[in-house]
PDB file of all heavy atoms in Angstrom:
ATOM      1  N   LYS A   1       0.863  -1.180   0.000  1.00  0.00           N
ATOM      2  CA  LYS A   1       0.000   0.000   0.000  1.00  0.00           C
ATOM      3  C   LYS A   1       0.897   1.227   0.000  1.00  0.00           C
ATOM      4  O   LYS A   1       1.786   1.347   0.833  1.00  0.00           O
ATOM      5  CB  LYS A   1      -0.914   0.014   1.226  1.00  0.00           C
ATOM      6  CG  LYS A   1      -1.909   1.156   1.192  1.00  0.00           C
ATOM      7  CD  LYS A   1      -2.924   1.051   2.302  1.00  0.00           C
ATOM      8  CE  LYS A   1      -3.924   2.188   2.160  1.00  0.00           C
ATOM      9  NZ  LYS A   1      -4.956   2.141   3.185  1.00  0.00           N
ATOM     10  N   ASP A   2       0.636   2.140  -0.959  1.00  0.00           N
ATOM     11  CA  ASP A   2       1.474   3.331  -1.028  1.00  0.00           C
ATOM     12  C   ASP A   2       0.771   4.546  -0.431  1.00  0.00           C
ATOM     13  O   ASP A   2      -0.389   4.473  -0.030  1.00  0.00           O
ATOM     14  CB  ASP A   2       1.938   3.602  -2.460  1.00  0.00           C
ATOM     15  CG  ASP A   2       0.831   4.003  -3.405  1.00  0.00           C
ATOM     16  OD1 ASP A   2      -0.288   4.333  -2.946  1.00  0.00           O
ATOM     17  OD2 ASP A   2       1.077   4.005  -4.624  1.00  0.00           O
ATOM     18  N   ASP A   3       1.484   5.652  -0.378  1.00  0.00           N
ATOM     19  CA  ASP A   3       0.946   6.883   0.214  1.00  0.00           C
ATOM     20  C   ASP A   3      -0.137   7.536  -0.645  1.00  0.00           C
ATOM     21  O   ASP A   3      -0.847   8.414  -0.172  1.00  0.00           O
ATOM     22  CB  ASP A   3       2.071   7.889   0.452  1.00  0.00           C
ATOM     23  CG  ASP A   3       3.038   7.411   1.517  1.00  0.00           C
ATOM     24  OD1 ASP A   3       2.631   6.611   2.389  1.00  0.00           O
ATOM     25  OD2 ASP A   3       4.217   7.830   1.485  1.00  0.00           O
ATOM     26  N   ALA A   4      -0.262   7.109  -1.900  1.00  0.00           N
ATOM     27  CA  ALA A   4      -1.270   7.671  -2.794  1.00  0.00           C
ATOM     28  C   ALA A   4      -2.597   6.915  -2.714  1.00  0.00           C
ATOM     29  O   ALA A   4      -3.534   7.223  -3.442  1.00  0.00           O
ATOM     30  CB  ALA A   4      -0.759   7.671  -4.229  1.00  0.00           C
ATOM     31  N   GLY A   5      -2.661   5.899  -1.856  1.00  0.00           N
ATOM     32  CA  GLY A   5      -3.905   5.155  -1.700  1.00  0.00           C
ATOM     33  C   GLY A   5      -4.016   3.922  -2.572  1.00  0.00           C
ATOM     34  O   GLY A   5      -5.033   3.241  -2.555  1.00  0.00           O
ATOM     35  N   HIS A   6      -2.984   3.604  -3.351  1.00  0.00           N
ATOM     36  CA  HIS A   6      -2.992   2.391  -4.166  1.00  0.00           C
ATOM     37  C   HIS A   6      -2.590   1.218  -3.296  1.00  0.00           C
ATOM     38  O   HIS A   6      -1.724   1.344  -2.433  1.00  0.00           O
ATOM     39  CB  HIS A   6      -1.998   2.507  -5.325  1.00  0.00           C
ATOM     40  CG  HIS A   6      -2.243   3.670  -6.202  1.00  0.00           C
ATOM     41  ND1 HIS A   6      -1.333   4.691  -6.354  1.00  0.00           N
ATOM     42  CD2 HIS A   6      -3.299   4.013  -6.975  1.00  0.00           C
ATOM     43  CE1 HIS A   6      -1.812   5.594  -7.182  1.00  0.00           C
ATOM     44  NE2 HIS A   6      -3.010   5.204  -7.570  1.00  0.00           N
ATOM     45  N   SER A   7      -3.216   0.066  -3.546  1.00  0.00           N
ATOM     46  CA  SER A   7      -2.841  -1.110  -2.762  1.00  0.00           C
ATOM     47  C   SER A   7      -2.972  -2.377  -3.592  1.00  0.00           C
ATOM     48  O   SER A   7      -3.806  -2.474  -4.485  1.00  0.00           O
ATOM     49  CB  SER A   7      -3.697  -1.214  -1.498  1.00  0.00           C
ATOM     50  OG  SER A   7      -5.055  -1.347  -1.828  1.00  0.00           O
ATOM     51  N   ALA A   8      -2.115  -3.324  -3.259  1.00  0.00           N
ATOM     52  CA  ALA A   8      -2.192  -4.640  -3.895  1.00  0.00           C
ATOM     53  C   ALA A   8      -3.363  -5.398  -3.285  1.00  0.00           C
ATOM     54  O   ALA A   8      -3.657  -5.254  -2.100  1.00  0.00           O
ATOM     55  CB  ALA A   8      -0.892  -5.388  -3.658  1.00  0.00           C
ATOM     56  N   ASP A   9      -4.041  -6.186  -4.086  1.00  0.00           N
ATOM     57  CA  ASP A   9      -5.167  -6.967  -3.606  1.00  0.00           C
ATOM     58  C   ASP A   9      -4.682  -7.983  -2.573  1.00  0.00           C
ATOM     59  O   ASP A   9      -3.810  -8.806  -2.877  1.00  0.00           O
ATOM     60  CB  ASP A   9      -5.822  -7.680  -4.792  1.00  0.00           C
ATOM     61  CG  ASP A   9      -7.052  -8.439  -4.376  1.00  0.00           C
ATOM     62  OD1 ASP A   9      -6.903  -9.603  -3.953  1.00  0.00           O
ATOM     63  OD2 ASP A   9      -8.151  -7.873  -4.460  1.00  0.00           O
ATOM     64  N   PRO A  10      -5.216  -7.932  -1.349  1.00  0.00           N
ATOM     65  CA  PRO A  10      -4.755  -8.854  -0.300  1.00  0.00           C
ATOM     66  C   PRO A  10      -4.910 -10.327  -0.669  1.00  0.00           C
ATOM     67  O   PRO A  10      -4.039 -11.142  -0.351  1.00  0.00           O
ATOM     68  CB  PRO A  10      -5.619  -8.502   0.912  1.00  0.00           C
ATOM     69  CG  PRO A  10      -6.090  -7.105   0.655  1.00  0.00           C
ATOM     70  CD  PRO A  10      -6.206  -6.985  -0.841  1.00  0.00           C
ATOM     71  N   ALA A  11      -5.990 -10.682  -1.345  1.00  0.00           N
ATOM     72  CA  ALA A  11      -6.191 -12.079  -1.740  1.00  0.00           C
ATOM     73  C   ALA A  11      -5.149 -12.507  -2.773  1.00  0.00           C
ATOM     74  O   ALA A  11      -4.666 -13.643  -2.750  1.00  0.00           O
ATOM     75  CB  ALA A  11      -7.599 -12.284  -2.283  1.00  0.00           C
ATOM     76  N   ALA A  12      -4.789 -11.602  -3.680  1.00  0.00           N
ATOM     77  CA  ALA A  12      -3.770 -11.907  -4.687  1.00  0.00           C
ATOM     78  C   ALA A  12      -2.413 -12.119  -4.022  1.00  0.00           C
ATOM     79  O   ALA A  12      -1.685 -13.059  -4.356  1.00  0.00           O
ATOM     80  CB  ALA A  12      -3.689 -10.792  -5.720  1.00  0.00           C
ATOM     81  N   ILE A  13      -2.084 -11.254  -3.079  1.00  0.00           N
ATOM     82  CA  ILE A  13      -0.803 -11.388  -2.377  1.00  0.00           C
ATOM     83  C   ILE A  13      -0.770 -12.692  -1.580  1.00  0.00           C
ATOM     84  O   ILE A  13       0.225 -13.416  -1.587  1.00  0.00           O
ATOM     85  CB  ILE A  13      -0.542 -10.166  -1.473  1.00  0.00           C
ATOM     86  CG1 ILE A  13      -0.390  -8.902  -2.335  1.00  0.00           C
ATOM     87  CG2 ILE A  13       0.683 -10.388  -0.596  1.00  0.00           C
ATOM     88  CD1 ILE A  13       0.758  -8.919  -3.335  1.00  0.00           C
ATOM     89  N   LYS A  14      -1.875 -13.036  -0.927  1.00  0.00           N
ATOM     90  CA  LYS A  14      -1.940 -14.301  -0.173  1.00  0.00           C
ATOM     91  C   LYS A  14      -1.770 -15.490  -1.114  1.00  0.00           C
ATOM     92  O   LYS A  14      -1.051 -16.443  -0.796  1.00  0.00           O
ATOM     93  CB  LYS A  14      -3.267 -14.408   0.570  1.00  0.00           C
ATOM     94  CG  LYS A  14      -3.475 -15.764   1.223  1.00  0.00           C
ATOM     95  CD  LYS A  14      -3.902 -15.667   2.644  1.00  0.00           C
ATOM     96  CE  LYS A  14      -4.171 -16.989   3.304  1.00  0.00           C
ATOM     97  NZ  LYS A  14      -3.124 -17.960   3.302  1.00  0.00           N
ATOM     98  N   GLU A  15      -2.414 -15.426  -2.270  1.00  0.00           N
ATOM     99  CA  GLU A  15      -2.287 -16.503  -3.257  1.00  0.00           C
ATOM    100  C   GLU A  15      -0.834 -16.662  -3.703  1.00  0.00           C
ATOM    101  O   GLU A  15      -0.318 -17.782  -3.797  1.00  0.00           O
ATOM    102  CB  GLU A  15      -3.188 -16.189  -4.459  1.00  0.00           C
ATOM    103  CG  GLU A  15      -3.131 -17.210  -5.559  1.00  0.00           C
ATOM    104  CD  GLU A  15      -4.017 -16.850  -6.746  1.00  0.00           C
ATOM    105  OE1 GLU A  15      -4.825 -15.904  -6.653  1.00  0.00           O
ATOM    106  OE2 GLU A  15      -3.875 -17.531  -7.771  1.00  0.00           O
ATOM    107  N   LEU A  16      -0.170 -15.542  -3.974  1.00  0.00           N
ATOM    108  CA  LEU A  16       1.228 -15.592  -4.397  1.00  0.00           C
ATOM    109  C   LEU A  16       2.132 -16.083  -3.270  1.00  0.00           C
ATOM    110  O   LEU A  16       3.072 -16.844  -3.510  1.00  0.00           O
ATOM    111  CB  LEU A  16       1.683 -14.216  -4.888  1.00  0.00           C
ATOM    112  CG  LEU A  16       0.995 -13.714  -6.153  1.00  0.00           C
ATOM    113  CD1 LEU A  16       1.408 -12.285  -6.454  1.00  0.00           C
ATOM    114  CD2 LEU A  16       1.273 -14.633  -7.333  1.00  0.00           C
ATOM    115  N   GLU A  17       1.823 -15.657  -2.057  1.00  0.00           N
ATOM    116  CA  GLU A  17       2.610 -16.104  -0.909  1.00  0.00           C
ATOM    117  C   GLU A  17       2.408 -17.608  -0.683  1.00  0.00           C
ATOM    118  O   GLU A  17       3.382 -18.352  -0.501  1.00  0.00           O
ATOM    119  CB  GLU A  17       2.208 -15.314   0.331  1.00  0.00           C
ATOM    120  CG  GLU A  17       3.090 -15.585   1.531  1.00  0.00           C
ATOM    121  CD  GLU A  17       2.770 -14.675   2.712  1.00  0.00           C
ATOM    122  OE1 GLU A  17       1.596 -14.265   2.878  1.00  0.00           O
ATOM    123  OE2 GLU A  17       3.704 -14.397   3.465  1.00  0.00           O
ATOM    124  N   ASP A  18       1.168 -18.058  -0.730  1.00  0.00           N
ATOM    125  CA  ASP A  18       0.870 -19.487  -0.565  1.00  0.00           C
ATOM    126  C   ASP A  18       1.515 -20.330  -1.660  1.00  0.00           C
ATOM    127  O   ASP A  18       1.876 -21.480  -1.437  1.00  0.00           O
ATOM    128  CB  ASP A  18      -0.637 -19.739  -0.546  1.00  0.00           C
ATOM    129  CG  ASP A  18      -1.312 -19.211   0.724  1.00  0.00           C
ATOM    130  OD1 ASP A  18      -0.604 -18.846   1.687  1.00  0.00           O
ATOM    131  OD2 ASP A  18      -2.561 -19.147   0.717  1.00  0.00           O
ATOM    132  N   GLY A  19       1.656 -19.737  -2.851  1.00  0.00           N
ATOM    133  CA  GLY A  19       2.271 -20.432  -3.976  1.00  0.00           C
ATOM    134  C   GLY A  19       3.786 -20.344  -4.000  1.00  0.00           C
ATOM    135  O   GLY A  19       4.429 -20.864  -4.910  1.00  0.00           O
ATOM    136  N   GLY A  20       4.369 -19.662  -3.018  1.00  0.00           N
ATOM    137  CA  GLY A  20       5.817 -19.565  -2.944  1.00  0.00           C
ATOM    138  C   GLY A  20       6.443 -18.577  -3.913  1.00  0.00           C
ATOM    139  O   GLY A  20       7.644 -18.643  -4.176  1.00  0.00           O
ATOM    140  N   LEU A  21       5.628 -17.647  -4.446  1.00  0.00           N
ATOM    141  CA  LEU A  21       6.149 -16.689  -5.414  1.00  0.00           C
ATOM    142  C   LEU A  21       6.559 -15.358  -4.794  1.00  0.00           C
ATOM    143  O   LEU A  21       7.363 -14.623  -5.384  1.00  0.00           O
ATOM    144  CB  LEU A  21       5.128 -16.466  -6.532  1.00  0.00           C
ATOM    145  CG  LEU A  21       4.790 -17.719  -7.345  1.00  0.00           C
ATOM    146  CD1 LEU A  21       3.667 -17.433  -8.327  1.00  0.00           C
ATOM    147  CD2 LEU A  21       6.015 -18.252  -8.067  1.00  0.00           C
ATOM    148  N   VAL A  22       6.016 -15.038  -3.625  1.00  0.00           N
ATOM    149  CA  VAL A  22       6.412 -13.834  -2.899  1.00  0.00           C
ATOM    150  C   VAL A  22       6.537 -14.165  -1.415  1.00  0.00           C
ATOM    151  O   VAL A  22       5.945 -15.129  -0.925  1.00  0.00           O
ATOM    152  CB  VAL A  22       5.425 -12.646  -3.063  1.00  0.00           C
ATOM    153  CG1 VAL A  22       5.260 -12.241  -4.514  1.00  0.00           C
ATOM    154  CG2 VAL A  22       4.087 -12.925  -2.411  1.00  0.00           C
ATOM    155  N   THR A  23       7.304 -13.333  -0.736  1.00  0.00           N
ATOM    156  CA  THR A  23       7.409 -13.371   0.715  1.00  0.00           C
ATOM    157  C   THR A  23       7.024 -12.003   1.231  1.00  0.00           C
ATOM    158  O   THR A  23       7.595 -10.988   0.796  1.00  0.00           O
ATOM    159  CB  THR A  23       8.850 -13.703   1.158  1.00  0.00           C
ATOM    160  OG1 THR A  23       9.223 -14.960   0.611  1.00  0.00           O
ATOM    161  CG2 THR A  23       8.958 -13.754   2.664  1.00  0.00           C
ATOM    162  N   VAL A  24       6.039 -11.954   2.104  1.00  0.00           N
ATOM    163  CA  VAL A  24       5.588 -10.676   2.653  1.00  0.00           C
ATOM    164  C   VAL A  24       6.458 -10.330   3.852  1.00  0.00           C
ATOM    165  O   VAL A  24       6.663 -11.152   4.745  1.00  0.00           O
ATOM    166  CB  VAL A  24       4.099 -10.733   3.047  1.00  0.00           C
ATOM    167  CG1 VAL A  24       3.672  -9.448   3.734  1.00  0.00           C
ATOM    168  CG2 VAL A  24       3.241 -10.995   1.815  1.00  0.00           C
ATOM    169  N   ASN A  25       6.971  -9.098   3.811  1.00  0.00           N
ATOM    170  CA  ASN A  25       7.789  -8.596   4.910  1.00  0.00           C
ATOM    171  C   ASN A  25       7.364  -7.167   5.168  1.00  0.00           C
ATOM    172  O   ASN A  25       7.751  -6.254   4.429  1.00  0.00           O
ATOM    173  CB  ASN A  25       9.274  -8.681   4.559  1.00  0.00           C
ATOM    174  CG  ASN A  25      10.159  -8.282   5.722  1.00  0.00           C
ATOM    175  OD1 ASN A  25       9.698  -8.101   6.841  1.00  0.00           O
ATOM    176  ND2 ASN A  25      11.446  -8.140   5.441  1.00  0.00           N
ATOM    177  N   GLY A  26       6.509  -6.985   6.168  1.00  0.00           N
ATOM    178  CA  GLY A  26       6.018  -5.645   6.480  1.00  0.00           C
ATOM    179  C   GLY A  26       5.134  -5.116   5.376  1.00  0.00           C
ATOM    180  O   GLY A  26       4.146  -5.742   5.001  1.00  0.00           O
ATOM    181  N   ALA A  27       5.522  -3.984   4.814  1.00  0.00           N
ATOM    182  CA  ALA A  27       4.719  -3.312   3.797  1.00  0.00           C
ATOM    183  C   ALA A  27       5.097  -3.708   2.377  1.00  0.00           C
ATOM    184  O   ALA A  27       4.639  -3.098   1.416  1.00  0.00           O
ATOM    185  CB  ALA A  27       4.860  -1.802   3.953  1.00  0.00           C
ATOM    186  N   ARG A  28       5.917  -4.755   2.237  1.00  0.00           N
ATOM    187  CA  ARG A  28       6.377  -5.173   0.906  1.00  0.00           C
ATOM    188  C   ARG A  28       6.166  -6.665   0.689  1.00  0.00           C
ATOM    189  O   ARG A  28       6.194  -7.446   1.635  1.00  0.00           O
ATOM    190  CB  ARG A  28       7.860  -4.864   0.725  1.00  0.00           C
ATOM    191  CG  ARG A  28       8.178  -3.395   0.812  1.00  0.00           C
ATOM    192  CD  ARG A  28       9.676  -3.170   0.710  1.00  0.00           C
ATOM    193  NE  ARG A  28      10.002  -1.787   0.932  1.00  0.00           N
ATOM    194  CZ  ARG A  28      10.128  -0.880  -0.029  1.00  0.00           C
ATOM    195  NH1 ARG A  28       9.955  -1.231  -1.284  1.00  0.00           N
ATOM    196  NH2 ARG A  28      10.419   0.367   0.250  1.00  0.00           N
ATOM    197  N   ALA A  29       5.996  -7.027  -0.561  1.00  0.00           N
ATOM    198  CA  ALA A  29       5.980  -8.429  -0.970  1.00  0.00           C
ATOM    199  C   ALA A  29       7.134  -8.613  -1.946  1.00  0.00           C
ATOM    200  O   ALA A  29       7.117  -8.059  -3.050  1.00  0.00           O
ATOM    201  CB  ALA A  29       4.659  -8.801  -1.631  1.00  0.00           C
ATOM    202  N   ALA A  30       8.152  -9.336  -1.507  1.00  0.00           N
ATOM    203  CA  ALA A  30       9.348  -9.552  -2.323  1.00  0.00           C
ATOM    204  C   ALA A  30       9.190 -10.833  -3.132  1.00  0.00           C
ATOM    205  O   ALA A  30       8.684 -11.838  -2.628  1.00  0.00           O
ATOM    206  CB  ALA A  30      10.579  -9.645  -1.430  1.00  0.00           C
ATOM    207  N   PHE A  31       9.640 -10.789  -4.388  1.00  0.00           N
ATOM    208  CA  PHE A  31       9.618 -11.988  -5.216  1.00  0.00           C
ATOM    209  C   PHE A  31      10.634 -12.992  -4.672  1.00  0.00           C
ATOM    210  O   PHE A  31      11.784 -12.648  -4.417  1.00  0.00           O
ATOM    211  CB  PHE A  31       9.949 -11.666  -6.670  1.00  0.00           C
ATOM    212  CG  PHE A  31       8.939 -10.773  -7.350  1.00  0.00           C
ATOM    213  CD1 PHE A  31       9.343  -9.839  -8.284  1.00  0.00           C
ATOM    214  CD2 PHE A  31       7.586 -10.864  -7.079  1.00  0.00           C
ATOM    215  CE1 PHE A  31       8.430  -9.018  -8.923  1.00  0.00           C
ATOM    216  CE2 PHE A  31       6.657 -10.050  -7.706  1.00  0.00           C
ATOM    217  CZ  PHE A  31       7.090  -9.126  -8.637  1.00  0.00           C
ATOM    218  N   THR A  32      10.211 -14.231  -4.487  1.00  0.00           N
ATOM    219  CA  THR A  32      11.124 -15.314  -4.127  1.00  0.00           C
ATOM    220  C   THR A  32      11.914 -15.680  -5.382  1.00  0.00           C
ATOM    221  O   THR A  32      11.670 -15.136  -6.471  1.00  0.00           O
ATOM    222  CB  THR A  32      10.346 -16.542  -3.642  1.00  0.00           C
ATOM    223  OG1 THR A  32       9.535 -17.020  -4.723  1.00  0.00           O
ATOM    224  CG2 THR A  32       9.484 -16.224  -2.423  1.00  0.00           C
ATOM    225  N   SER A  33      12.828 -16.638  -5.274  1.00  0.00           N
ATOM    226  CA  SER A  33      13.561 -17.062  -6.475  1.00  0.00           C
ATOM    227  C   SER A  33      12.594 -17.634  -7.509  1.00  0.00           C
ATOM    228  O   SER A  33      12.735 -17.368  -8.712  1.00  0.00           O
ATOM    229  CB  SER A  33      14.666 -18.055  -6.132  1.00  0.00           C
ATOM    230  OG  SER A  33      14.131 -19.182  -5.492  1.00  0.00           O
ATOM    231  N   ASP A  34      11.576 -18.393  -7.066  1.00  0.00           N
ATOM    232  CA  ASP A  34      10.562 -18.891  -8.005  1.00  0.00           C
ATOM    233  C   ASP A  34       9.751 -17.735  -8.583  1.00  0.00           C
ATOM    234  O   ASP A  34       9.408 -17.739  -9.761  1.00  0.00           O
ATOM    235  CB  ASP A  34       9.618 -19.880  -7.327  1.00  0.00           C
ATOM    236  CG  ASP A  34      10.253 -21.241  -7.082  1.00  0.00           C
ATOM    237  OD1 ASP A  34      11.316 -21.528  -7.680  1.00  0.00           O
ATOM    238  OD2 ASP A  34       9.676 -22.011  -6.300  1.00  0.00           O
ATOM    239  N   GLY A  35       9.440 -16.749  -7.744  1.00  0.00           N
ATOM    240  CA  GLY A  35       8.716 -15.563  -8.216  1.00  0.00           C
ATOM    241  C   GLY A  35       9.517 -14.765  -9.217  1.00  0.00           C
ATOM    242  O   GLY A  35       8.979 -14.279 -10.213  1.00  0.00           O
TER     243      GLY A  35
END
């Protein structure tokens, strides 16, 4: 979520995290090596 009010869809981020494509760390979702 940025200061302009834009945000990533929480369900999409959870799906990517569950699939091993991102790792959520605080306010960021980092691409894993598979991601």
Side-chain angles (χ1 to χ4, degrees):
K1 185 172 183 179
D2 68 13
D3 293 334
H6 303 117
S7 61
D9 184 274
I13 296 299
K14 173 131 178 56
E15 179 181 350
L16 294 174
E17 187 174 31
D18 290 348
L21 298 174
V22 301
T23 301
V24 175
N25 185 9
R28 298 176 186 267
F31 296 145
T32 63
S33 58
D34 286 345

